[in-house]
């Protein structure tokens, strides 16, 4: 199969862990060990989140004495290179004969997307409410609740077009495991006369971009790997229940938090609705079983039977 696997930022850096190089490397090594299970016999494209990492770089830049730093599109490219390098190296250590390539991938967005005036994408560290108020005021950042803490939120426009599909296709046809569209891709938009592309201050949702990339590549399956084992209804309440298999029409009627599970569900729904193929959301630790349809939440075409735990 041709499989696109989207690795969540929280799968690469667990909630509550400090943003240290040691923690990131340990989690990437763990991720590589799981991903190696599904390489043989498949064409694999890996995408990954970068919310914690790009937010940390932005914070470090803002705290410099000059107060100057690079915009989010450039910081996104930096994190793509860093995370891609670590994934490539750890996968190569496990699969020394496998050819692996990491690509920086630009993704076009609409400069008039309403997301630019309504930031929702959490990035960077988790703060207490008091620290978040102080830091947000100091830097002029929008802040919003994320779990039990508060994080900076930035614009997250919808991906319109993944640029550079041809080299990805060529590499796949030559047996290469490709790491691409990290962090949702590097956001660019047509400015002025509509021909020149410029980087924009945003972070594209990785799951929505992965869904678009999977459709454009003609993937057989989209796997969204995160830090929970399934999609839950009424999550965090006594009545919560895991969805094991749900058809795409039923899923469209359900509502999930915009800053966490919502984009993952929408990404899976869009892929299945547009291709008639399957998508799976679940824990990175169960990725082999997810590909085989034995774990996670499987989103299937309309008319299939829904199962819940």
């Amino acid at each position: 199969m041709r499989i696109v696997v989207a690795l969540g930022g929280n799968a690469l850096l667990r909630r509550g862990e400090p943003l240290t190089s040691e923690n990131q490397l340990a989690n990437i090594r763990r991720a590589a060990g799981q991903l190696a299970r599904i390489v043989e016999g498949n064409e694999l494209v890996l995408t990954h989140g970068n919310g914690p990492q790009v937010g940390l770089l932005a914070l470090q830049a803002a705290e410099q004495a000059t107060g100057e730093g690079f915009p989010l599109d450039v910081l996104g490219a930096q994190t793509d290179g860093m995370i891609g390098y670590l994934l490539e190296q750890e996968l190569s250590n496990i699969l020394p004969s496998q050819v692996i390539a990491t690509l920086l991938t630009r993704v076009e967005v609409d400069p008039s997307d309403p997301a630019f005036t309504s930031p929702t994408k959490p990035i960077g560290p988790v703060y207490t409410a008091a620290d978040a108020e102080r830091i947000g005021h100091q830097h002029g950042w929008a802040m919003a609740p994320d779990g039990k803490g508060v994080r900076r939120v930035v614009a997250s426009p919808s991906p319109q077009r993944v640029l550079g599909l041809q080299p990805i296709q060529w590499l796949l046809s030559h047996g290469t495991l490709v790491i691409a569209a990290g962090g949702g891709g590097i956001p660019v938009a047509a400015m002025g006369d509509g021909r020149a592309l410029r980087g924009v201050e945003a972070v594209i949702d990785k799951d929505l971009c992965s869904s678009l990339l999977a459709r454009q590549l003609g993937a057989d399956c989209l796997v969204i790997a995160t830090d929970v084992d399934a999609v839950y209804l009424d999550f965090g309440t006594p009545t919560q229940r895991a969805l094991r298999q749900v058809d795409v029409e039923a899923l469209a009627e359900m509502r999930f938090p915009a800053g966490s599970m919502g984009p993952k569900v929408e990404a899976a729904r869009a892929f299945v609705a547009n291709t008639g193929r399957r998508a799976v959301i679940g824990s990175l630790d169960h990725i082999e079983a997810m590909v085989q349809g034995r774990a996670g939440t499987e989103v299937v075409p309309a008319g299939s039977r829904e199962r819940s735990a």
Side-chain angles (χ1 to χ4, degrees):
M1 292 192 296
R2 175 169 290 186
I3 307 171
V4 172
V5 178
L7 296 174
N10 292 323
L12 298 177
L13 189 73
R14 299 186 180 189
R15 289 183 185 274
E17 286 185 334
L19 287 163
T20 65
S21 59
E22 292 82 4
N23 284 337
Q24 292 179 77
L25 180 57
N27 284 307
I28 284 174
R29 188 168 289 147
R30 163 180 155 263
Q34 295 298 322
L35 292 165
R37 298 172 179 267
I38 61 170
V39 171
E40 186 175 358
N42 295 313
E43 293 181 346
L44 194 60
V45 177
L46 302 182
T47 69
H48 58 79
N50 70 344
Q53 295 84 1
V54 75
L56 180 61
L57 287 181
L59 178 62
Q60 291 172 341
E63 291 181 342
Q64 292 177 359
T66 61
E68 298 178 357
F70 290 108
L72 285 175
D73 60 306
V74 177
L75 297 181
Q78 290 181 10
T79 59
D80 291 355
M82 175 184 73
I83 297 170
Y85 150 67
L86 293 172
L87 277 169
E88 185 174 332
Q89 178 154 279
E90 294 307 317
L91 283 165
S92 294
N93 287 337
I94 299 170
L95 303 167
S97 62
Q98 175 66 52
V99 178
I100 305 171
T102 300
L103 303 178
L104 296 182
T105 310
R106 295 173 302 140
V107 175
E108 188 173 359
V109 301
D110 184 347
S112 62
D113 192 307
F116 286 107
T117 57
S118 300
T120 59
K121 177 66 177 176
I123 66 170
V126 178
Y127 302 104
T128 64
D131 285 343
E133 183 177 6
R134 173 180 57 81
I135 291 170
H137 178 75
Q138 178 183 352
H139 300 302
W141 291 346
M143 313 294 280
D146 183 36
K148 296 181 180 179
V150 181
R151 293 173 76 187
R152 180 188 177 188
V153 289
V154 299
S156 186
S158 296
Q160 301 297 309
R161 183 166 63 109
V162 178
L163 306 175
L165 283 176
Q166 187 174 5
I168 298 175
Q169 294 271 25
W170 189 90
L171 287 166
L172 287 173
S173 70
H174 286 75
T176 304
L177 188 163
V178 181
I179 303 167
I186 302 164
V188 298
M191 302 296 185
D193 60 9
R195 292 195 299 270
L197 294 173
R198 299 284 185 271
V200 294
E201 188 76 355
V203 175
I204 301 169
D205 183 84
K206 167 265 308 172
D207 297 307
L208 296 180
C209 180
S210 299
S211 176
L212 177 61
L213 176 64
R215 281 175 268 154
Q216 291 184 319
L217 288 176
D220 298 296
C221 183
L222 170 65
V223 177
I224 299 176
T226 183
D227 57 351
V228 294
D229 64 340
V231 177
Y232 283 81
L233 294 178
D234 303 326
F235 184 74
T237 72
T239 60
Q240 75 174 27
R241 65 185 180 98
L243 294 172
R244 292 305 175 193
Q245 187 185 83
V246 57
D247 87 32
V248 70
E249 289 184 353
L251 190 64
E253 301 301 317
M254 303 172 186
R255 296 293 176 263
F256 300 91
S260 55
M261 190 55 72
K264 293 174 173 55
V265 169
E266 173 56 24
R269 188 205 64 76
F271 175 76
V272 176
N274 282 278
T275 66
R277 296 166 183 164
R278 57 190 284 268
V280 192
I281 303 172
S283 171
L284 173 64
D285 294 329
H286 305 151
I287 195 162
E288 186 175 20
M290 288 163 64
V291 169
Q292 296 169 351
R294 298 186 293 105
T297 295
E298 185 178 34
V299 183
V300 295
S304 299
R305 185 170 61 91
E306 177 186 344
R307 299 195 305 269
S308 62

